[in-house]
Amino acid sequence: MKHLVIAIAILGFGLSSYSQQTTNSLLSDLNDAITQAPQYDDAKLKSIKDLKVVLARKDNNTADYRFFVYSRLYDEYKIFKYDSAYNYSKKLLEAAYQLNDQSKVNYAKMKQGFILLSSGMFKEAYDSLKRIDISHLSDTSKAEYYSLMARYYYDLADYDNDIYHTPEYNKKGNEYLDSAFNYYDTTNFEYLYFKGLKDIRSNNRPHALINFKKIMSNPNLSYHEIALTASTLSDIYIQNGQIDTATALLVKAAIADIKSSTKETAAIFNLASILFKQGDLKNASTYIERAINDAVFYGARQRKVQVSAILPLIEGEKINRVENQKKTLITYSAIATLLLIALVTLIVIVFRQVAKLKAAEKIIMAANAKQQEINTKLLEANKIKEEYIGYFFNGNSEFFTKIERFKKSVEQKIAERKLEEIKFLVNNINLKKEKEELLKNFDKVFLKLFPNFIDEFNALFAEEDKIKLKDNELLNTDLRIFALIRMGIHDNEKIAQILEYSVNTINTYKTKIKNKSLVPNEDFEHRIMDIKTV
């Protein structure tokens, strides 16, 4: 049953057209099989080694036994390696002569004829086959003999491949097969295979297709039988123009050849030829190299000739493609170089424009920052003005109300001639208290605008130098001086007038405070101006 899967697979693809995807999948399977080929060959060599070990045993060194083992070794080598197979066919013939058995002699000559024919040595093969005495052959051997002669003429027809000799050789081959059919069991592989082969040679492809389909339906085919049938069947599809199906068959045949360690094969060579015509140089080159290695290993002369004919074409086409690719690459390289130069130029221009934009952006950002600072200061100034204008309007309103009451009191006292009471009213005016009230109102409005002023002011000093206010004291003189500066009054004379101190006193206060500060004197007033309103 080990061949069942492959046989059904070949039958399953229905001998119908295959898509490119299916072909690619099959080629992948073939590539895997090529990779594993050494393992199959090792198994073949092990079988051969085991037979040689048996042959070397002295207790089995009889002519009959040697004939049997030589026959087995010949079978192992006949599709594997010509030199060894031919060598064992000679040993087989020697053993037959020692046995003085004419049927075995004829058997050995047929084996020798087969291997000579497989190697492409047509004259030597013919000489060997013609020396066979057919009358001493069994029916089975007669079938084999006539089939071998038919193959001989078919191979000659393919080798000559002309309109003069080929038809005559095909005719002779058909005649020999007709003789072989008289001795074959009509149900076995050889009968059906050669029936199909004769139909092909007789240009009866439809009938050949029926025969080969019948063969394919057999689940017990060996790898070699699968390869032989699939490879031959591919010829029908090639002649019918169904290249995809022919390709799939050749792939299957090549895989079966590898698994049976068959080196005398045409499947992979024919596959390479088809792929070359389809433009698949990569796979064609791989498979033609495999075909060369197989032909050299086996020693098949006609295969070497066939391979030598197509190999230069494949290599030449590969060189042409490389040259075309080289020209294309040069063209693309030139275009790419021009594009690269254009790109570099564009990048330089873009970088310059970006640099200009960044410079302009910096200027704009600086202007925006400055404008923002100005806007902040304007908002702050407006807020200060609003607060103090409201404060002075309220203060003046209260002051005018007091003056109005004082005026009415004075006028009433004058009218009543109460001079002492007038003098009392005048003396009762407390200018110091009014001044303190004015400053207290200033302090309230200022701290409303700058509620964090004292904390931020003290943050400029060490702990022992921070200003500590008395109970119910909002600001003291030190703080008021710098509060007025924060309000935008930087003139010491104006500050002195507001606080009713001398200019020297104001300078003294400012110097003393700056000297205690943790920041440089020249930066102190800048830090005061950085204190924000709410």
Side-chain angles (χ1 to χ4, degrees):
M1 294 297 289
K2 67 179 181 179
H3 309 306
L4 178 59
V5 174
I6 294 179
I8 293 176
I10 296 176
L11 181 62
F13 60 76
L15 309 179
S16 59
S17 262
Y18 275 77
S19 64
Q20 187 61 42
Q21 182 178 0
T22 302
T23 300
N24 289 340
S25 176
L26 288 170
L27 291 177
S28 178
D29 292 341
L30 175 56
N31 292 335
D32 291 341
I34 291 174
T35 302
Q36 298 171 11
Q39 300 174 25
Y40 300 116
D41 290 348
D42 287 345
K44 165 72 78 172
L45 292 171
K46 184 179 184 304
S47 297
I48 291 171
K49 182 179 179 181
D50 291 343
L51 286 172
K52 289 181 177 179
V53 169
V54 171
L55 183 63
R57 290 170 57 181
K58 293 183 178 180
D59 55 337
N60 290 325
N61 195 18
T62 64
D64 272 329
Y65 192 78
R66 287 200 305 276
F67 185 89
F68 169 74
V69 177
Y70 290 152
S71 179
R72 291 282 305 279
L73 283 167
Y74 167 85
D75 286 337
E76 291 289 345
Y77 276 120
K78 70 178 181 180
I79 56 174
F80 184 62
K81 195 170 183 62
Y82 161 75
D83 288 341
S84 298
Y86 182 71
N87 179 51
Y88 281 106
S89 73
K90 290 176 65 178
K91 290 180 179 292
L92 194 64
L93 187 59
E94 290 173 3
Y97 279 126
Q98 289 177 6
L99 291 169
N100 196 25
D101 186 333
Q102 190 60 39
S103 64
K104 284 184 171 57
V105 169
N106 289 329
Y107 174 86
K109 287 181 179 179
M110 274 198 298
K111 299 304 179 185
Q112 197 169 76
F114 176 88
I115 199 64
L116 290 168
L117 184 58
S118 296
S119 180
M121 301 176 70
F122 297 114
K123 180 182 182 303
E124 291 79 359
Y126 183 79
D127 291 342
S128 177
L129 293 173
K130 278 302 181 182
R131 289 198 299 268
I132 295 175
D133 185 355
I134 304 174
S135 62
H136 288 86
L137 294 177
S138 65
D139 287 351
T140 302
S141 295
K142 285 179 181 179
E144 183 179 353
Y145 172 79
Y146 288 126
S147 298
L148 191 55
M149 288 300 298
R151 181 191 163 188
Y152 167 78
Y153 282 108
Y154 286 154
D155 285 358
L156 277 178
D158 292 337
Y159 184 79
D160 286 358
N161 193 24
D162 65 2
I163 61 174
Y164 305 107
H165 302 94
T166 297
E168 183 62 28
Y169 287 146
N170 280 328
K171 181 181 177 182
K172 286 186 177 181
N174 290 339
E175 290 172 353
Y176 272 107
L177 279 185
D178 286 336
S179 298
F181 294 147
N182 294 323
Y183 301 99
Y184 273 126
D185 180 352
T186 58
T187 62
N188 67 12
F189 170 80
E190 287 79 6
Y191 178 83
L192 292 173
Y193 176 80
F194 286 119
K195 272 286 186 182
L197 186 60
K198 181 188 174 185
D199 288 333
I200 291 176
R201 295 289 175 165
S202 303
N203 292 319
N204 188 1
R205 292 198 296 271
H207 197 264
L209 190 59
I210 294 173
N211 278 309
F212 285 119
K213 281 185 177 181
K214 189 173 182 180
I215 296 173
M216 288 295 189
S217 66
N218 183 357
N220 298 315
L221 295 178
S222 68
Y223 283 128
H224 183 59
E225 289 170 344
I226 290 171
L228 192 62
T229 306
S231 180
T232 307
L233 182 55
S234 68
D235 290 338
I236 298 176
Y237 285 100
I238 291 172
Q239 293 177 41
N240 289 341
Q242 295 172 269
I243 304 302
D244 287 344
T245 304
T247 301
L249 283 164
L250 287 171
V251 170
K252 288 294 185 179
I255 292 174
D257 279 332
I258 290 171
K259 290 185 176 181
S260 61
S261 292
T262 300
K263 306 301 180 180
E264 199 290 299
T265 172
I268 201 164
F269 165 74
N270 292 333
L271 175 63
S273 300
I274 288 178
L275 295 177
F276 169 67
K277 292 175 183 178
Q278 292 178 335
D280 186 355
L281 293 184
K282 179 181 178 182
N283 284 316
S285 180
T286 299
Y287 302 148
I288 203 67
E289 287 179 10
R290 175 74 189 183
I292 291 172
N293 293 336
D294 284 348
V296 170
F297 182 86
Y298 181 79
R301 291 161 177 77
Q302 77 277 24
R303 297 282 182 252
K304 293 178 185 178
V305 173
Q306 289 174 319
V307 170
S308 298
I310 191 174
L311 182 60
L313 298 177
I314 294 177
E315 295 303 319
E317 185 61 26
K318 286 172 68 176
I319 292 172
N320 289 337
R321 288 202 176 185
V322 170
E323 289 297 325
N324 290 335
Q325 289 173 354
K326 182 179 177 181
K327 290 178 183 178
T328 303
L329 183 60
I330 291 172
T331 302
Y332 285 159
S333 298
I335 294 172
T337 301
L338 292 175
L339 290 175
L340 182 60
I341 292 171
L343 180 61
V344 171
T345 304
L346 182 61
I347 290 172
V348 171
I349 294 172
V350 169
F351 270 112
R352 287 180 178 175
Q353 293 298 322
V354 169
K356 290 180 181 179
L357 287 174
K358 285 184 178 180
E361 185 180 358
K362 287 181 180 179
I363 294 171
I364 293 171
M365 289 178 65
N368 286 337
K370 190 171 183 180
Q371 185 64 42
Q372 185 66 31
E373 184 180 351
I374 292 172
N375 290 341
T376 302
K377 289 182 178 180
L378 286 174
L379 289 173
E380 188 179 82
N382 289 334
K383 194 169 186 179
I384 292 171
K385 288 178 182 178
E386 287 174 4
E387 290 291 335
Y388 275 97
I389 286 173
Y391 158 70
F392 279 111
F393 268 114
N394 290 333
N396 287 341
S397 177
E398 292 176 4
F399 180 73
F400 286 142
T401 300
K402 288 180 181 180
I403 293 297
E404 185 66 29
R405 287 199 303 268
F406 179 74
K407 178 184 176 185
K408 286 181 181 180
S409 296
V410 171
E411 287 177 347
Q412 184 179 354
K413 299 301 180 183
I414 290 174
E416 295 175 355
R417 305 283 185 175
K418 296 179 180 180
L419 297 177
E420 287 297 327
E421 291 184 14
I422 292 172
K423 184 177 178 182
F424 174 78
L425 288 172
V426 172
N427 290 333
N428 197 39
I429 297 173
N430 190 344
L431 294 177
K432 182 177 179 182
K433 183 179 179 182
E434 291 294 334
K435 181 68 175 180
E436 288 175 355
E437 188 66 26
L438 177 65
L439 291 175
K440 186 175 182 180
N441 288 333
F442 168 81
D443 294 347
K444 287 180 180 179
V445 175
F446 181 81
L447 290 176
K448 183 179 178 182
L449 289 169
F450 299 93
N452 299 322
F453 180 80
I454 296 173
D455 291 337
E456 294 189 36
F457 184 88
N458 276 334
L460 304 176
F461 299 90
E463 187 62 34
E464 63 274 11
D465 294 324
K466 295 181 186 295
I467 293 176
K468 296 177 177 57
L469 297 171
K470 299 176 182 178
D471 293 340
N472 299 321
E473 190 175 31
L474 298 177
L475 296 175
N476 60 14
T477 301
D478 293 345
L479 290 170
R480 285 194 191 100
I481 291 171
F482 288 97
L484 289 169
I485 291 173
R486 181 61 189 87
M487 296 285 290
I489 303 171
H490 297 277
D491 189 347
N492 289 340
E493 189 173 346
K494 289 183 179 181
I495 295 172
Q497 290 175 357
I498 293 171
L499 298 180
E500 296 183 345
Y501 290 107
S502 67
V503 175
N504 287 337
T505 301
I506 296 301
N507 284 331
T508 300
Y509 270 105
K510 289 174 66 176
T511 302
K512 180 183 70 173
I513 290 171
K514 289 180 179 180
N515 287 338
K516 291 181 180 180
S517 172
L518 297 174
V519 300
N521 289 1
E522 62 272 16
D523 294 334
F524 188 81
E525 291 190 21
H526 292 295
R527 297 290 295 273
I528 295 298
M529 295 304 295
D530 288 338
I531 298 174
K532 305 296 182 184
T533 60
V534 292

